Amino acid sequence: MKILLTGGAGYIGSHTAVELAAAGYEVVIADNFSNSSPKVLERLEMITGKRFGLYEIDVADKTALKKVFEENKIDAVIHFAGYKSVPESVKVPLSYYRNNIDTTLSLLEVMGEYGCNNIVFSSSATVYGTKAPYPYKEDMETGNCSNPYGWTKLFIERIITDYAAAKEGFSAVLLRYFNPVGAHESGLIGEDPRDIPNNLMPYISRVAVGKLPYLNVYGNDYPTKDGTGVRDYIHVTDLAKGHAAALDFAEKHSGVEIFNLGAGKGISVLEMVNAYSKACGHDIPYKIAPRRDGDLAEFYADASKANVILGWKAEHSVDDMCRDSWNWQSKNPKGYNE
């Protein structure tokens, strides 16, 4: 089977490409490298021994996207393409709504023209908003998102759900991620954020390698085990395997199913700092800063549905996450810009 990965050169997309190749799928990547590097393709070939089909296009461009489908018999799509920075989405909301939603509309329209009826969508736990009680379950009410990025994910879920209801035989799996971290065990691919990272793990990594002086820990007075915020971190390789399981499910199913992909337990900021210090062999300097508006004390998944239906669960420990992240960062201190 031939699978199209939109945004497949990105952090999660590239790790998913590795897992799909190992499972025997033929992978085609469409990416405009706005959040990634062409060097990823070289690294993927080193890891897998396979050359991936590549189209350097904007997935919102229907003419360019049609060429992909004309030149390949695409059996299913995993849709990663989209802007992904929460703080940036607050600053430039129209860019996020235009890009993320237009990309999805173009993709679904072209899929329809070429008879491709299987999609796995890269959604986010941000769709649960700030008022739902944790652990988060797939049947909980969504909305009350705290930023435009989260709203784009929720709107796209709605678009795909409505399309699936109108198109007989269409299969869609919506995957709500929690906090992907870590890197491929080879150290060849990993997370390479532009500018100063917004998420905890890449920020710690930059501090550990000496690119940033210290980590800001936002709040140490939450009602948690050590006063710092607790989140559900999942190794990116586990997440990638979840996509392979979802793809297999989508091929045998019609309609829409939603799955949380998370470890199902929380890790505090200071626990992550301590684990990373162990992995890199030295202390991670940090400073306590005031809480940020909108941050929750705890945020983690109930991932039991994915376990029961997909036969999937997260297997890597926090030590594994930190070890693999450090392996990537120490070997690639400048990311892909070596």
Side-chain angles (χ1 to χ4, degrees):
M1 292 186 65
K2 187 172 284 191
I3 313 302
L4 174 63
L5 304 188
T6 68
Y11 175 45
I12 301 168
S14 60
H15 287 80
T16 301
V18 171
E19 296 303 322
L20 294 183
Y25 291 102
E26 187 176 353
V27 175
V28 176
I29 290 173
D31 205 304
N32 64 0
F33 302 116
S34 64
N35 283 317
S36 58
S37 168
K39 293 180 181 178
V40 169
L41 276 296
E42 302 170 13
R43 306 288 185 91
L44 289 177
E45 187 173 352
M46 293 170 66
I47 293 168
T48 66
K50 298 179 181 180
R51 185 178 295 272
F52 293 84
L54 172 66
Y55 289 82
E56 187 174 348
I57 64 169
D58 183 341
V59 177
D61 182 342
K62 286 181 66 176
T63 300
L65 190 58
K66 284 181 181 181
K67 183 179 179 182
V68 180
F69 281 80
E70 286 170 2
E71 296 181 355
N72 303 271
K73 174 61 176 71
I74 301 297
D75 297 292
V77 178
I78 302 183
H79 183 32
F80 297 105
Y83 294 157
K84 62 178 185 177
S85 168
V86 168
E88 185 180 61
S89 77
V90 176
K91 295 178 182 178
V92 288
L94 294 185
S95 294
Y96 271 67
Y97 288 117
R98 172 70 71 185
N99 180 77
N100 292 4
I101 293 174
D102 274 6
T103 297
T104 304
L105 291 173
S106 293
L107 176 62
L108 291 173
E109 288 169 349
V110 173
M111 287 176 67
E113 289 183 38
Y114 288 87
C116 181
N117 290 319
N118 297 318
I119 189 169
V120 175
F121 172 56
S122 168
S123 191
S124 168
T126 55
V127 302
Y128 291 114
T130 58
K131 293 183 179 179
Y134 50 83
Y136 298 105
K137 299 182 180 181
E138 291 88 349
D139 59 359
M140 283 181 172
E141 184 177 351
T142 54
N144 193 40
C145 302
S146 61
N147 54 77
Y149 165 78
W151 282 113
T152 67
K153 292 295 187 181
L154 187 59
F155 293 159
I156 292 168
E157 284 194 7
R158 184 74 258 170
I159 290 167
I160 293 174
T161 299
D162 289 344
Y163 181 70
K167 187 170 178 60
E168 185 177 354
F170 192 82
S171 175
V173 178
L174 313 178
L175 299 180
R176 292 174 179 167
Y177 308 163
F178 280 70
N179 296 74
V181 295
H184 190 266
E185 62 182 2
S186 66
L188 288 169
I189 57 174
E191 189 169 13
D192 185 24
R194 306 287 172 90
D195 302 318
I196 296 176
N198 296 308
N199 298 324
L200 178 62
M201 180 68 89
Y203 205 112
I204 293 176
S205 299
R206 294 286 180 87
V207 174
V209 82
K211 302 294 289 185
L212 293 170
Y214 60 87
L215 169 73
N216 278 314
V217 175
Y218 294 103
N220 65 344
D221 57 351
Y222 288 105
T224 60
K225 61 189 84 176
D226 58 22
T228 63
V230 169
R231 298 292 181 267
D232 187 331
Y233 296 96
I234 176 174
H235 196 293
V236 67
T237 297
D238 284 332
L239 186 60
K241 290 179 178 178
H243 287 77
L247 184 61
D248 182 64
F249 174 80
E251 293 163 8
K252 305 166 186 174
H253 151 276
S254 63
V256 178
E257 282 291 345
I258 301 169
F259 297 98
N260 288 334
L261 293 185
K265 60 182 179 180
I267 299 169
S268 76
V269 174
L270 289 185
E271 284 178 324
M272 187 65 81
V273 168
N274 292 332
Y276 209 103
S277 296
K278 177 182 174 183
C280 71
H282 59 80
D283 289 342
I284 304 295
Y286 66 87
K287 294 183 179 180
I288 302 299
R291 293 187 188 187
R292 295 178 298 191
D293 290 341
D295 275 357
L296 302 176
E298 297 190 61
F299 194 107
Y300 58 91
D302 179 333
S304 58
K305 182 179 176 182
N307 189 302
V308 172
I309 297 178
L310 301 181
W312 172 93
K313 65 178 180 179
E315 297 179 344
H316 288 76
S317 69
V318 63
D319 289 335
D320 296 332
M321 299 173 198
C322 293
R323 177 201 64 218
D324 291 340
S325 175
W326 175 243
N327 185 40
W328 151 256
Q329 188 68 79
S330 60
K331 289 178 177 177
N332 304 272
K334 296 180 181 180
Y336 294 109
N337 296 318
E338 293 294 338

